[in-house]
């Protein structure tokens, strides 16, 4: 019985070995067939177009407004840089503008006081010149009236004819041999005096009118001259220049807030608030999810499995599948 039992055991092991080997061969054949039907599995990396946002100056990162994975739109602030030297220049320029503003206000107030005082004096001179002009006009009119009156009076007097051995001729008064007509002589002298007075008044009136014109021109130019004398224009020019310089500095300060150049998703942050930044340092990456590419490392032994126009299946980590 022992011999029979042993022969039966050996036969059982032989059958198991034969069937096991056949199963292994069949499994390998099926696996190879399936692999040839389904194709090789090749790892790949999904990439999006990346834009690096870099700094253009030596500064430090003050504040970050976005987090990795956040979607951003064009002109959305991403982070703010800090430049201590630029901020100090802005503060100094603001202090300078405050001083220049106070100086402009001071010189304008001084100019107003000076202008009021000078206007009062000038108006007094103009008033006196106008009074003098009126007096001279009245005096000239009186002289002219007097001259006309004596001329009319002379027309009513008989003309005097002096004696002579020759024919009767009108003789000068100094050559008269007889006593002259005193009434006519007096009238001639007074008419001449009135004419001379009128001419004198005319000359005085011309000078007065010239002075009055000069005073009126000075009154028209007085405000501009006082402003120049007080230095208002120079002070305002200095203030405007300082304001323009402050605007340029503030523009540079605004440029320290870096904004997104387009739509995308925030990727890696390479710097943290407080870190020093050098020109060209990339602070964060902006991913353009509308432009995505897939990079696969294909072994050369598998190249023959793929051909242009062949269909492939993409399996993503979340078990979603895409075909193309």
């Amino acid at each position: 019985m022992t011999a029979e039992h042993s022969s039966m055991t050996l036969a059982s092991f032989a059958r198991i070995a034969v069937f096991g080997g056949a199963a292994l061969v069949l499994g390998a054949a099926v696996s190879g067939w399936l692999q040839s039907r389904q194709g090789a599995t090749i790892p790949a990396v999904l990439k999006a177009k990346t834009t690096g946002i870099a700094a253009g100056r030596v500064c430090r990162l003050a504040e970050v407004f976005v987090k990795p994975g956040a979607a951003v739109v064009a002109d959305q602030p991403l982070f703010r840089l800090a430049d201590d030297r630029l901020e100090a220049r802005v503060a100094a320029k603001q202090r300078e503008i405050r001083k220049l503003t106070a100086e402009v206000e001071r010189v304008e107030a001084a100019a107003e006081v000076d202008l009021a005082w000078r206007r009062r004096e000038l108006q007094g001179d103009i008033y006196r010149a106008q009074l003098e002009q009126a007096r001279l006009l009245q005096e000239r009119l009186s002289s002219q009236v007097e001259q006309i009156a004596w001329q009319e009076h002379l027309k009513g007097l008989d003309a005097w004819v002096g004696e002579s051995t020759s024919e009767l001729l009108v003789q000068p008064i100094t050559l008269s041999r007889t006593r002259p007509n005193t009434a006519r002589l007096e009238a001639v002298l007074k008419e001449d005096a009135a004419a001379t007075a009128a001419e004198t008044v005319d000359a005085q009136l011309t000078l007065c009118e010239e002075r009055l014109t000069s005073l009126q021109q000075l009154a028209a130019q007085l405000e501009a001259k006082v402003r120049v004398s007080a230095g208002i224009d120079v002070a305002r020019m200095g203030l405007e220049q300082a304001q323009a310089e402050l605007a340029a500095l503030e523009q540079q300060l605004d440029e320290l807030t870096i904004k997104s150049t387009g739509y995308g998703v925030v990727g890696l942050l390479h710097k943290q608030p407080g870190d020093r930044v050098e020109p060209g340092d990339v602070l964060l990456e902006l991913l353009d999810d509308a432009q995505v590419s897939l990079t696969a490392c294909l072994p050369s032994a598998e190249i023959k499995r793929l051909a242009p126009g062949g269909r492939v299946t993409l399996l993503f980590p979340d078990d979603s599948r895409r075909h193309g």
Side-chain angles (χ1 to χ4, degrees), residues 16-189:
I16 292 172
V18 171
F19 284 117
L24 288 175
V25 172
L26 180 61
V30 171
S31 176
W33 179 78
L34 289 175
Q35 206 170 34
S36 66
R37 293 285 295 177
Q38 296 181 355
T41 300
I42 302 168
V45 178
L46 185 65
K47 294 182 177 180
K49 181 182 177 181
T50 303
T51 302
I53 308 298
R57 60 195 303 164
V58 177
C59 51
R60 59 183 173 82
L61 183 60
E63 187 177 1
V64 180
F65 303 119
V66 293
K67 295 181 180 180
V72 296
V73 297
D75 293 331
Q76 179 177 341
L78 301 176
F79 52 85
R80 181 175 62 84
L81 302 175
D83 188 336
D84 296 335
R85 289 183 297 179
L86 179 59
E87 292 174 356
R89 291 175 62 191
V90 170
K93 190 60 65 175
Q94 289 173 341
R95 291 193 297 270
E96 180 184 353
I97 287 177
R98 286 194 291 269
K99 291 181 181 178
L100 291 174
T101 302
E103 177 65 14
V104 169
E105 292 175 352
R106 185 191 68 78
V107 296
E108 284 182 344
E112 287 180 2
V113 173
D114 189 21
L115 181 61
W117 173 68
R118 291 180 182 275
R119 273 179 175 167
R120 185 170 59 252
E121 285 192 342
L122 191 56
Q123 287 172 354
D125 292 342
I126 292 174
Y127 177 70
R128 286 187 289 273
Q130 289 173 338
L131 287 180
E132 180 68 11
Q133 182 186 36
R135 185 188 68 78
L136 290 173
L137 287 172
Q138 182 65 33
E139 186 175 344
R140 184 180 66 176
L141 179 62
S142 298
S143 298
Q144 291 173 343
V145 169
E146 183 179 358
Q147 181 184 6
I148 293 171
W150 284 114
Q151 288 174 350
E152 293 296 326
H153 180 66
L154 283 172
K155 291 179 181 179
L157 295 177
D158 295 333
W160 171 80
V161 179
E163 297 179 358
S164 176
T165 58
S166 60
E167 299 179 355
L168 293 179
L169 298 172
V170 177
Q171 298 291 329
I173 296 176
T174 56
L175 300 178
S176 173
R177 293 180 181 181
T178 61
R179 186 172 182 173
N181 187 344
T182 57
R184 182 175 180 80
L185 178 61
E186 183 181 1
V188 169
L189 293 175

Side-chain angles (χ1 to χ4, degrees), residues 64-73 76 78 263-269 284-289:
V64 180
F65 303 119
V66 293
K67 295 181 180 180
V72 296
V73 297
Q76 179 177 341
L78 301 176
Y263 298 88
V265 178
V266 179
L268 295 177
L269 297 177
L284 61 81
E285 294 179 351
L286 197 61
L287 308 177
D288 186 356
D289 55 0

